Amino acid sequence: MGVRLMVVDDHRLLAEALASALKLRGHRVLAAAAPAAGAAELVVQRAPEVCLIGTSTPAEPGMFDPIVKIKRERPQVAVVVLGPVPSPRGIAAAFAAGASGYVRHDERIEGVERAIMKARSGEAAVAPSLLQGAFAELLNPAAQPDDEGQRLLQMLTPREVEVLVRVADGEDTRLIAAGMGIAPSTARTHVQRVLMKLGVGSRLEAAALAARTGLLDRAGPVGGVPAAAELPSVNNSGHV
């Protein structure tokens, strides 16, 4: 039986992609909203069974304030957080705010769906490996934790970073070419190189990866395009 749910994320493109995938699996998606900070009111109004909230900064102070509001006004709504590999502080903050689960952003859709079903039934939806990893970090903190966003950013040239930001902002090849003052064929080549370096097969996957690892925030404004802007709908085919 499908679940009535909402998908909330600061990156609209990612929220809409996840919502589409869940719809295809028989779930009723009431809304895919962005930004997360202003979505608590919508969740309270729609009262889904489960709300998925995406974040790239789970340890940031106040990040889970929307969950507090949701649980205060709609305690029956189960909230599952989608985020990066969390620190112990990140997991603790999510559950302290009232979350029912925490799922890695790179989890397969089947894993996300399992977390949804567990949360709806009142169970804690956290993979044992996440808890083990969190406790391991707590007991043996890394001096310099791996930064996936920084690693990916270093793989790209400044021009490729600009292309990625424009892709994430929903620009097609024609708009990328016009904005950067280059030929469409050159823009297409840049896009293909970005996809290859990131190891993804589509623009949608590239935008999602960049958003989830914080790469867009690290890139900052480039070429007059603000990174991590609110994302309009794009062609989900992923064709370049």
Side-chain angles (χ1 to χ4, degrees):
M1 182 178 176
V3 178
R4 289 187 305 104
L5 55 87
M6 285 184 58
V7 182
V8 173
D9 197 285
D10 285 334
H11 301 283
R12 184 176 298 277
L13 182 65
L14 185 59
E16 292 178 350
L18 183 55
S20 296
L22 290 167
K23 284 179 182 178
L24 290 174
R25 299 180 74 85
H27 300 289
R28 182 185 174 194
V29 180
L30 303 180
E41 292 78 8
L42 186 59
V43 175
V44 170
Q45 292 171 8
R46 298 289 183 89
E49 294 177 281
V50 179
C51 176
L52 297 175
I53 292 185
T55 176
S56 58
T57 55
E60 182 177 322
M63 182 62 240
F64 298 124
D65 286 352
I67 300 179
V68 175
K69 178 178 177 61
I70 292 168
K71 297 301 292 185
R72 182 175 63 245
E73 301 191 30
R74 293 285 186 180
Q76 74 276 19
V77 175
V79 179
V80 175
V81 176
L82 290 145
V85 177
S87 66
R89 181 181 174 187
I91 286 184
F95 279 89
S100 299
Y102 193 109
V103 181
R104 284 178 54 161
H105 61 72
D106 56 357
E107 179 65 68
R108 296 173 63 88
I109 190 65
E110 293 85 358
V112 175
E113 188 175 38
R114 282 194 298 272
I116 290 172
M117 303 305 289
K118 280 189 173 184
R120 184 177 68 167
S121 66
E123 299 178 52
V126 186
S129 60
L130 271 185
L131 290 178
Q132 291 168 3
F135 282 119
E137 182 183 336
L138 187 62
L139 296 172
N140 302 288
Q144 294 183 330
D146 182 46
D147 189 329
E148 183 68 3
Q150 184 63 32
R151 184 185 72 80
L152 294 174
L153 190 61
Q154 291 174 348
M155 293 170 57
L156 305 176
T157 67
R159 175 143 287 198
E160 288 167 349
V161 171
E162 180 173 356
V163 168
L164 178 58
V165 172
R166 291 179 181 277
V167 165
D169 200 38
E171 294 188 11
D172 59 17
T173 302
R174 179 181 57 81
L175 287 176
I176 292 173
M180 297 180 66
I182 57 180
S185 59
T186 302
R188 188 174 297 108
T189 297
H190 282 314
V191 171
Q192 291 171 338
R193 286 177 177 170
V194 168
L195 299 186
M196 180 182 67
K197 286 186 177 182
L198 295 183
V200 297
S202 71
R203 294 170 180 245
L204 180 63
E205 290 179 276
L209 177 63
R212 285 303 188 196
T213 58
L215 193 158
L216 292 178
D217 297 325
R218 289 183 176 278
V222 294
V225 179
E230 182 172 307
L231 305 177
S233 297
V234 298
N235 182 350
N236 288 340
S237 66
H239 291 314
V240 296

